[in-house]
Amino acid sequence: MLMFRRHLLPWLKVLLCQGLALAIVLALLPMLPEGWRFGPGWVLLFEGALAALFGLVLRLPRIFLPIQLFLPLLVLYSDALPGWAYLVAFLLCLLLYWNSATEQVPLYLTNGRTAAALAALARERGARSLADLGSGLGDVVVRVARACPDVAVAGIETAPLAFALSRLRVALARAGNARIHYRSLWDEDLAAYDLVYCFLSPVPMPKLYEKALREMRPGTLLVSNSFIVPDVAPERVIEVEDGRRTRLHVYRMRG
Ligand SMILES: C[S@@+](CC[C@H](N)C(=O)[O-])C[C@H]1O[C@@H](n2cnc3c(N)ncnc32)[C@H](O)[C@@H]1O
């Protein structure tokens, strides 16, 4: 059910928005006054903009805005792009979604409200150090580092493009308490952290919990966004009031 909501539902909404926008454009075109003529490019851009607007109403994640906007243009003019553009697009995707095939962990991002809830938890528990295992584009690292200047925040990432972009992001944010490391989360020593955050997928959770049990100190926290550790009761579940009703599963390490 969770996989349907997260992966399939947004694309079904995209299809719905595009279909609705196309129907409206086709209905409007014959009504245009004499002399109002637009090239197909402008019509398709208008259709994409309408679809993007519907996407906002349906609360699609913001990443779908540019997809909605340019999708009709790309469908019609796909053969106008040179062949190498597809190779470049493929390479960029490969460098960004590096861990999708091997670790079965794709890239999707923690939203602002969830990062704020995580920062509040770090403050409440007096954490001095926090790691985001698989830190993506560095959103969590930057937001928590800003909200908690006394906490040393580390992002651990191996997707080359995500790593480079998040490094740049941290440098631009001038957050002195934030760092991004190019390292596999499996090689990171979790003993260094008071709070370890992850937003991965169901696949690595059992192995990650075993690693946390081996390495993390008693009383420290493993917090998983959305994905549970099977057969382990969390100490607490934080329900975030965001569009996707995020649940943060908080596991406390026992002595
Ligand atoms: C769902 S994204 C979460 C991104 C970020 N933590 C956030 O919440 O916005 C998961 C990230 O984990 C990274 N990842 C997956 N396996 C990894 C590994 N073994 N070591 C480091 N990063 C990994 C992926 O490249 C991806 O960027």
Side-chain angles (χ1 to χ4, degrees):
M1 191 60 196
L2 189 68
M3 286 310 222
F4 171 78
R5 271 212 349 244
R6 182 155 308 131
H7 297 296
L8 202 56
L9 191 59
W11 289 105
L12 289 178
K13 285 184 182 178
V14 167
L15 282 182
L16 181 71
C17 294
Q18 293 289 342
L20 215 59
L22 182 64
I24 292 176
V25 167
L26 288 179
L28 283 179
L29 275 179
M31 296 181 203
L32 283 181
E34 266 309 299
W36 283 33
R37 287 283 168 265
F38 299 99
W42 288 111
V43 173
L44 291 173
L45 206 56
F46 176 70
E47 187 206 321
L50 259 186
L53 196 71
F54 294 147
L56 283 180
V57 176
L58 292 182
R59 306 178 82 166
L60 267 174
R62 265 176 292 164
I63 184 86
F64 284 97
L65 268 178
I67 295 177
Q68 295 265 55
L69 185 61
F70 295 115
L71 193 64
L73 270 178
L74 286 175
V75 169
L76 196 73
Y77 293 116
S78 55
D79 57 345
L81 288 177
W84 57 260
Y86 292 94
L87 181 64
V88 169
F90 170 74
L91 286 176
L92 287 177
C93 287
L94 183 68
L95 294 173
L96 197 58
Y97 295 93
W98 195 253
N99 294 298
S100 298
T102 50
E103 302 273 7
Q104 290 178 272
V105 176
L107 175 72
Y108 28 75
L109 305 177
T110 296
N111 58 45
R113 286 194 181 182
T114 306
L118 185 67
L121 178 68
R123 276 196 300 267
E124 179 194 311
R125 297 296 179 110
R128 310 290 297 177
S129 52
L130 182 150
D132 179 9
L133 299 182
S135 46
L137 303 182
D139 285 51
V140 171
V141 173
V142 168
R143 285 179 195 269
V144 175
R146 276 194 181 140
C148 310
D150 298 336
V151 180
V153 186
I156 313 296
E157 181 57 62
T158 47
L161 187 54
F163 167 76
L165 290 173
S166 55
R167 267 263 169 116
L168 184 68
R169 180 117 190 254
V170 165
L172 291 176
R174 294 169 191 256
N177 56 330
R179 295 272 180 285
I180 306 283
H181 303 286
Y182 189 84
R183 190 175 301 147
S184 169
L185 62 90
W186 303 115
D187 296 332
E188 183 68 1
D189 183 4
L190 304 185
Y193 302 106
D194 297 330
L195 196 159
V196 170
Y197 171 73
C198 60
F199 186 20
L200 298 168
S201 82
V203 179
M205 291 314 294
K207 190 173 157 200
L208 181 61
Y209 187 66
E210 279 174 28
K211 177 175 165 65
L213 284 181
R214 274 196 312 275
E215 297 174 9
M216 291 182 73
R217 288 168 280 114
T220 55
L221 303 179
L222 173 69
V223 180
S224 173
N225 183 335
S226 306
F227 305 110
I228 58 159
V229 178
D231 305 323
V232 181
E235 181 199 70
R236 177 176 166 193
V237 177
I238 298 172
E239 305 207 346
V240 182
E241 287 181 13
D242 58 359
R244 61 185 286 278
R245 283 172 284 157
T246 298
R247 289 161 74 89
L248 291 176
H249 304 273
V250 182
Y251 300 92
R252 187 165 180 271
M253 298 298 125
R254 304 196 185 285

